[in-house]
Amino acid sequence: MGRVEGKVALVTGAGSGIGAASAIRLAEEGAIVYCGDINRDSAAATVVEILSAGGKAFAAPLDISSSSECDAVIAKIVAESGKIDILVNNAGVNLPSVFHETTNEAIDKTLNVNVKGAMYLTRASLPHMLAAGGGSIVNMSSVNGIVSEPFLSVYSASKGAIVMFTKGIALDYAKKGIRCNAICPGWVDTPINYAHAEMLGGLDHVYKTIDSFQPIGRPGTSREIANVVLFLASDESSFMTGSIVSADGGMTAQ
Ligand SMILES: NC(=O)c1ccc[n+]([C@@H]2O[C@H](COP(=O)([O-])OP(=O)(O)OC[C@H]3O[C@@H](n4cnc5c(N)ncnc54)[C@H](O)[C@@H]3O)[C@@H](O)[C@H]2O)c1
């Protein structure tokens, strides 16, 4: 038996990076995984990868910044698969900027995707989790939910909001069998960081000097974060709720 055998999961941002790795990891351990992403083709590619490895998956294209699309995707999952056991609020954007030059569009997009998207999907999922007597919600925050970095004031604010949203949901549903935890990854090698890396002198420079901020001395891999997602999604973490779990190569130990 897999570690999440028969559980129905939605992973957002499943077309790339940490979300793709998380969808694959959950499917490897027996979950039926809905791969949500605004990029229809990349979500479909993750589904193909899961199916070709013998797992169960469906594409769930959506823009998480739309509350109606979030409501619709949860309704569709429950109609098709009967329940939603695991929600991984992973999709996100990072639009680094010098703050006094930041556009309204960048502020709105960052908060709409990174904060409101997680709220909309959580709100839509909770009635089904309550009816079923339980569920696990895993929110992707960031080290930047705890500490900031140059050019990341808006992104950091969005990830800090996710830390507190996680704690709020954990408290409100602790007696209902619904757990909610957050992960704070350090620098992981995915495209979300490329714009930030450019502002810091380029990706090569960042990786050559990564020792200076990530003591383990290398970027993380998406699979290393997916392993934490799997643990928090599964019953193995049954005593954990409201936890903010760092997976950051020691970055916030300093
Ligand atoms: N890579 C890192 O170093 C790092 C560190 C800390 C936290 N994170 C967080 O991990 C999460 C995943 O990021 P990643 O590193 O895999 O980046 P990524 O860019 O590889 O993947 C992000 C995915 O989210 C999708 N997405 C963006 N906007 C969306 C929307 N409105 N609706 C649906 N899907 C949308 C994108 O299409 C993409 O597939 C993000 O929340 C990010 O903030 C990443």
Side-chain angles (χ1 to χ4, degrees), residues 13 15-19 36-39 42 62-65 90-93 113 140-143 155 159 185-193:
S16 178
I18 294 169
D37 206 290
I38 197 168
N39 184 327
S42 64
L62 88 161
D63 177 353
I64 62 165
S65 68
N90 166 79
V93 293
V113 176
M140 202 56 66
S141 180
S142 166
V143 285
Y155 179 76
K159 292 302 183 179
W187 192 296
V188 178
D189 185 26
T190 76
I192 203 170
N193 288 325

Side-chain angles (χ1 to χ4, degrees), residues 57-74:
F58 300 94
L62 88 161
D63 177 353
I64 62 165
S65 68
S66 157
S67 65
S68 59
E69 289 189 34
C70 290
D71 289 345
V73 80
I74 298 299

Side-chain angles (χ1 to χ4, degrees), residues 117-168:
M119 290 180 171
Y120 294 149
L121 282 170
T122 300
R123 184 177 62 187
S125 301
L126 281 168
H128 303 289
M129 292 180 171
L130 285 168
S136 178
I137 300 168
V138 181
N139 293 329
M140 202 56 66
S141 180
S142 166
V143 285
N144 300 126
I146 305 170
V147 295
S148 197
E149 288 173 68
F151 313 121
L152 296 188
S153 48
V154 182
Y155 179 76
S156 299
S158 76
K159 292 302 183 179
I162 287 297
V163 165
M164 291 314 299
F165 178 59
T166 299
K167 294 186 182 190

